[in-house]
Structure formats: structure tokens, C-alpha cells
């Protein structure tokens, strides 16, 4: 019988949970507000679920003809096909040329893990990662754990208060970078599914090879089933098959068989024109609702006479957008008003609802007025 | 635009699929039989599903009160608790002492991946793995990929035609080995849930620390939802919390959130006495059915006058058991009779049904008669 613990050298790990969420959870203030959730929230403050998903889940459970056998390691074939068609468009040149493939993964985190394992094994020169957007905390850590050096880029220009996607193209073209895209919520950006992945179509048209992780959790509202795809674009079918075969070996060691339920629901919806139409309508309503929230925030700030121009709020698409606040103003909102906002000022607008909009806009107004004199950062008028 | 493929050095991977299954699939013979499936099969040749699972799945889909938010990285708490109680017994000393914990993983492969990642990081002296049983092809490869040297042990004594679990205890006690158990189908062995994990209770009583991967796919018949647990037993609660915190960090990078559906179904069953009773009854029927198959095989071999004693067939518990054939006889069955059996002669008895039992027993008889003269391996009478 052992007397000492085998684990005696194992320390308590630091929680990887975003420090903002951690601080929020520890805050005792009863009216605290968290504006940085990853997923789209309803007006009632719950993660949004597409109505058509509930209906489809029930239909699937009532179908006695379905089997529940292990999926192949690569996953549900019809799901992969439908997801790739969604990502690249049915008539994508790369799909027609049979040089696009995918692996059904355990969510987009699984897609990242799988893709990174491949890159570490087969793209050994690549040791530096540039992350565009503010996903560094989540995905950056996976790269770091695997020995990559991670830099963060933002396409948000805090001076001009607008997005500048040219930053992305300049980086990729000048530095011989292997692109690894992340499409976390196609359709929740502009509600136009094709428009939301225009960047992929551009890279395909330019002949790039790349990886893309696709999450279908957020745009269907199936958060707890881990539905993701690692999409691969290669120069030709032969190279694609080699890459997929290596990915299969890696996935076999990671989880052997991906989970089926979420993929089954999504495939049923994507392959049925009536259900697909319902889902698109659901997306449209969500995006319109977010737009309305943004309009209200802008209007309330105008009525409060908050200094600065706030047009950039409604000029940005999607659930997430930059408020255009400087770090001092963000700090004021977090510390004094218990409104939790990331340092870069990018918030999830779907977290704002009828119950909290007044408190939030009045607090923003307060933050701007109090910090305005000490730091002149917001332009009075936006330049055209 | 790149002209050469980034992937040009990536070769086509060898399929890790068991070579036996591969050969079986490539065989054109219409009456070929595969006797090495991992899961319990019905008389109709389909993977078995517990009846209570179907009912519970439907109930869950009809419940409007459920939410579908991301699970925490560690998984569904109630599922972990129920699974650990199932594994160690509700009144387990280690559970009472708060030194047993678990991570909800993507199937048992996920549990292995997670456990191995931990061992590689925190138990660096351990570089050699002894695998007991015949799971080398599946789990051994994961260890090998991570840089471990893998040896295979068998507790089956081919001379005495019986199991000798002392081999396991001798290995572990003499070599200061860290035990990593695999409980792939609790309840499908003897149909007595406690009896099937007696080995764990023994190791707990001896004060060992260990890992255990538990699959709940096979004993519930939910194959496609990846339901597993990595259970951890430590000497005290403090060490346990350290290990769990490190595992959480690793799981966060692997899949961030485990899938929910399978765990939800299983938890509903385990926490409801009526459903639990139904499930236990289902298990009992399956095990009795397998026992009946074994009796029939033995009886048919007796009626055919096959040389040798075949009592060992019915003396073994569970879906899988050794036929007690030598390598020459196994090879004969595979090559000449298209009956696919692993080299060690361990088959899944639930693959034998009314449609194939005559062909199988007659083929075994043929194999034994033809090879008997050349190699005397089967004893005429088993010693008491």
C-alpha cells in the first residue's frame, strides 16, 4: 500500500476561466451586468435557441428508424457535407473541384485542438500564431499550450471607430501565414449566411490553402452538444485526402467518435427546405432584434447628451460590437457601475435588454462625462 | 497566391482501424461473420440499445423546462456523481472520504486521452504501459502516440483455459505501477453492477491511487453520444482537487465542453429508482441471453463430438470470452471459413445468433479436427 501520494507534486491549477467572468461571479452587487457572454442572449437573459431546433429534436426522438451506433471517426457524412456547403456555398469552386473536406469535431474547441495537433506535426516551421479578433483568451491558450507563440491583432481601429479588414489581408499576404479561420456564428452577423463567410470565399478565390473551424452551436442554439467542423481547403483532391487521413488518425486518439445528436438535428434542418427556411427566418429575427437594441442604445446616449459620436454602434454587424470607449471609461464601468466589459470595449449587444438598457446607457454617459476632461479620446465628430 | 501546397510533405496515413475489421470488410464472401465487435449485439445483428433509453430520450425531448446551455468543462455534475456511485458503490469508503472525483469526457477514448495527457505532464517517470486484456489496438495506440512504450498482458491462461486475475495483482504490486483501469461495460459482465467493478473496490481498500476510464455507451446502448468518465482516486481530498484542477485545464483545451445528451439520459435513469430498475432488468436479460448462447455453443460442440473440453466457454462471464483455440485453429477459421476472430481467440459471444450458430460451431469442429493432429494444445480433460 503506497504511503505517499503519486500526485504530491501536482499543484492546484489556475482557472482558465476568463478573469472578467471570474470577477463578475465574485461580485456581490445585486444589479451587476455581464456584457461579454460568447453566445447570443434572449431578452430574458437566456442563451438563444432557434425554435426549429426544439421541433426537430422532438421529431428525431420519435423516429424509431434511427440507429444509435458509433459514428465513424470522421463523423456524420451528411453533416459534414451540409456544413461545408453552408460555409463555402453550394457552388463553391473548391467544393466542385473536390479540394474541400472536413472533420466533424467536438465543437469548435475540438476543431482547434485537432487543427493545431496537425500543424504541430506537419507544419513544423510554423511556431507563431497571429490571432485576429478578441478570441485570444480561449483559442490562444490552446496554441500556447502546444508551444506556439501567440500575438493578437485587432481589425478594430479605435481612432477611426470602425473595422479595417485590410489589416487581416496585409498580415496574411506579407508574412506567408497559414490561415486558420474561426467562424463561430455564421448567420448571426448580418443574417445573410453567404455574406457572413465572404472572407472564406475570397481566400478560396485567391487559391489559398487553409483551415477553418466552424461552430454550429451558436447559430442554432445547441450549446451543449459540441457541434463543430474542422474544414480543410487544399490545392487539390490528392493533398486534401492526405491531410484528412492524418486528421482521422489524430481524431481517433482524441475522441474516436464525435457525438451525434447536435449534428443530427442540424443536418435535418439544413437538408429540409422548409426547416431551413424557418431557421433562416429565426436568424433574421435575432439579427433585427440586435440591430434594434443598438439603435436604442445610440438614441438613449443622444438623448442623454453624451459627448461624442455614437454612429459606430449601429454601423457594426453582429451580436458583438465595440462601444468605442477608452480603457479609463471601461474601467469606470466595471469598477464603479458593476457593468462587466472587456478591456477593448467590445460587448455582446444581445446582453442588453429592456431591464438593463437605461442603467447601461446612463452609466456610459457618466463614464464619458467623468473621464472626458482627463483624456480626450473620443472624437466629437466622426470623419467621413 | 501560393503555387506549392503547404501540405506537400503530408503522406496518406495508415488506417488505424483494426486490421481484422479491415480484412473482414474487404472480404467478398457473402456469409462472412465478424465475431470481434466491441459492443453487445442483438439477435438481429444490431448494436443493443436498452429499452429504457429510448423512452427516456423521448421524455427529455418533450421537457420544455430543460436548457441547452454549454456544460462546464468538467461536465454535468449530477452525471459525474451518479457515474462514480455506480463505479465504486454509493457507500464506497473513498467517496465518503471525498477523495474520488471525475471528469465527464467524450467517451472512454476521451477519458484515455485526458488521463494520458495528465500522466505525461505530471508523472514524468512513467514511460512504460502494461495493458491488460486485448484492448491494445485501441488504447495502446493512444499511449504510443504520446511516447509511451506499451506491453500487453493477458489474464487468460491458455493452458489452464481460465482467467487468472492474480497476474494483474502481481504485476501492479511488484512493479510500482500506476493503475489506469478501463471499465468498458459495467453490468454486461455478470449483470451484477457491483460484482463487475469488484477489482476497483479491492484497489480502493488497499489504499491505491488510480485512474479509471468508464464508458457508459455500451451498457446503456448509447453509442453515438460519447458518454464517458475519467475517474480519479487520490489519497486525500486535497490531492484530488489538485489533480482535477489540472485535468480541467487539459479538458478545456481538448473540447472545452463535453456533449450533454447521453449524460442527460443516463443521469435521468440512474437517479430514478423505477427507470434504474428497468435498466437493471434489461442488463439481466442481455447477460442471460449471452449465457444461453454460450450454453448452445458448448452443447453443439458436444453433439458434434469436437475433441477437447469446452466448459471454459460457459465458465467465463460477459459478452467477450475466449474460445480456447490455438493460433492455427483461429487462422483456419479466418482464412478458410471467413469467420473473423482475433488471434487470441477472444470473441464477442453476442455476435453469435440463431442464423450463424450452426455454421460457426461446425467450422470450429472442422478447425479442431484438422489441426488436432499437428499441434496438441487443447487438453482432453480440464483439471479441477
Amino acid at each position: 500500500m503506497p504511503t505517499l501520494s503519486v500526485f504530491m507534486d501536482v499543484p492546484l491549477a489556475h482557472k482558465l476561466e476568463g478573469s472578467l467572468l471570474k470577477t463578475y461571479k465574485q461580485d456581490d452587487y445585486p444589479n451587476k451586468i455581464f456584457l461579454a457572454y460568447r453566445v447570443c442572449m434572449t431578452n430574458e437573459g437566456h442563451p438563444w435557441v432557434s425554435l426549429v431546433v426544439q421541433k426537430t429534436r422532438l421529431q428525431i426522438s420519435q423516429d424509431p428508424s434511427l440507429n444509435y451506433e458509433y459514428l465513424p471517426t470522421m463523423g456524420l457524412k451528411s453533416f459534414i457535407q451540409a456544413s461545408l456547403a453552408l460555409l463555402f456555398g453550394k457552388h463553391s469552386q473548391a467544393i466542385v473541384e473536390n479540394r474541400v473536406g472536413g472533420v466533424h469535431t467536438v465543437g469548435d474547441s475540438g476543431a482547434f485542438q485537432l487543427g493545431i495537433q496537425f500543424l504541430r506535426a506537419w507544419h513544423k516551421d510554423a511556431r507563431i500564431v497571429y490571432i485576429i479578433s478578441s478570441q485570444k483568451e480561449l483559442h490562444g491558450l490552446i496554441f500556447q499550450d502546444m508551444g506556439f507563440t501567440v500575438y493578437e491583432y485587432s481589425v478594430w481601429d479605435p481612432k477611426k471607430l470602425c473595422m479595417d479588414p485590410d489589416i487581416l489581408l496585409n498580415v496574411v499576404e506579407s508574412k506567408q501565414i497559414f490561415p486558420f479561420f474561426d467562424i463561430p456564428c455564421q448567420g448571426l452577423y448580418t443574417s445573410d449566411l453567404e455574406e457572413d463567410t465572404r472572407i472564406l470565399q475570397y481566400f478560396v478565390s485567391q487559391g489559398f490553402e487553409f483551415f477553418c473551424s466552424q461552430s454550429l452551436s451558436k447559430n442554432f442554439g445547441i450549446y451543449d452538444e459540441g457541434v463543430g467542423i474542422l474544414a480543410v481547403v487544399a490545392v487539390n483532391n490528392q493533398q486534401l485526402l492526405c491531410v484528412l487521413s492524418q486528421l482521422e488518425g489524430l481524431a481517433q486518439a482524441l475522441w474516436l467518435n464525435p457525438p451525434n445528436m447536435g449534428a443530427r438535428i442540424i443536418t435535418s434542418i439544413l437538408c429540409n427546405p422548409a426547416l431551413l427556411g424557418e431557421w433562416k427566418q429565426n436568424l433574421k429575427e435575432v439579427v433585427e432584434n440586435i440591430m434594434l437594441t443598438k439603435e436604442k442604445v445610440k438614441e438613449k446616449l443622444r438623448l442623454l447628451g453624451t459627448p461624442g459620436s455614437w454612429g459606430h454602434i449601429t454601423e457594426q454587424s453582429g451580436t458583438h460590437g465595440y462601444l468605442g470607449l477608452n480603457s479609463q471609461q471601461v474601467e469606470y464601468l466595471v469598477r464603479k457601475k458593476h457593468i462587466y466589459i472587456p478591456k477593448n470595449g467590445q460587448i455582446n449587444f444581445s446582453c442588453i435588454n429592456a431591464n438593463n438598457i437605461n442603467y447601461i446607457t446612463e452609466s456610459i454617459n457618466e463614464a464619458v462625462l467623468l473621464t472626458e476632461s482627463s483624456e480626450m479620446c473620443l472624437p466629437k465628430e466622426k470623419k467621413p
Side-chain angles (χ1 to χ4, degrees), chain A residues 202-218:
Chain A
Y202 173 79
F203 273 77
V204 165
S205 74
Q206 295 297 303
F208 275 100
E209 295 183 302
F210 59 87
F211 282 176
C212 177
S213 86
Q214 180 188 26
S215 166
L216 294 130
S217 293
K218 300 179 192 72

Side-chain angles (χ1 to χ4, degrees), chain A residues 161 294 297-299 301-302 305-316 322-325 329 364-365 368 378-380 382:
Chain A
L161 292 172
K294 288 178 178 173
V297 170
K298 192 174 78 171
E299 180 61 12
L301 290 173
R302 194 188 67 78
T306 315
S309 136
W310 299 93
H312 57 276
I313 290 180
T314 48
E315 281 157 19
Q316 299 169 74
Y322 289 87
L323 277 175
L325 299 178
Q329 292 157 347
I364 292 174
N365 182 50
V368 173
L378 282 173
K380 293 279 175 208
K382 215 189 130 209

Side-chain angles (χ1 to χ4, degrees), chain A residues 40-44 48 191 281-296 318-319 349-354 357:
Chain A
C40 185
M41 306 298 272
T42 62
N43 288 336
E44 293 74 34
W48 169 80
S191 89
Q281 187 55 36
N282 289 169
L283 289 175
K284 203 161 167 267
E285 285 159 15
V286 169
V287 171
E288 281 174 1
N289 197 38
I290 293 167
M291 227 16 177
L292 199 63
T293 301
K294 288 178 178 173
E295 292 285 359
K296 282 183 192 160
T319 49
F349 277 93
S350 73
C351 299
I352 302 179
N353 54 47
I357 190 165

Side-chain angles (χ1 to χ4, degrees), chain A residues 138-154:
Chain A
L138 262 177
H139 302 314
L141 279 170
I142 308 182
F143 280 101
Q144 270 173 15
D145 282 351
M146 300 277 230
F148 289 86
T149 306
V150 178
Y151 296 103
E152 194 174 357
Y153 265 71
S154 177

Side-chain angles (χ1 to χ4, degrees), chain A residues 37-56:
Chain A
Y37 285 112
R38 287 156 59 202
V39 307
C40 185
M41 306 298 272
T42 62
N43 288 336
E44 293 74 34
H46 302 298
W48 169 80
V49 175
S50 169
L51 285 176
V52 71
V53 164
Q54 298 283 31
K55 190 165 78 173
T56 310

Side-chain angles (χ1 to χ4, degrees), chain A residues 6 70 284 355:
Chain A
V6 176
Y70 289 109
K284 203 161 167 267
N355 294 323

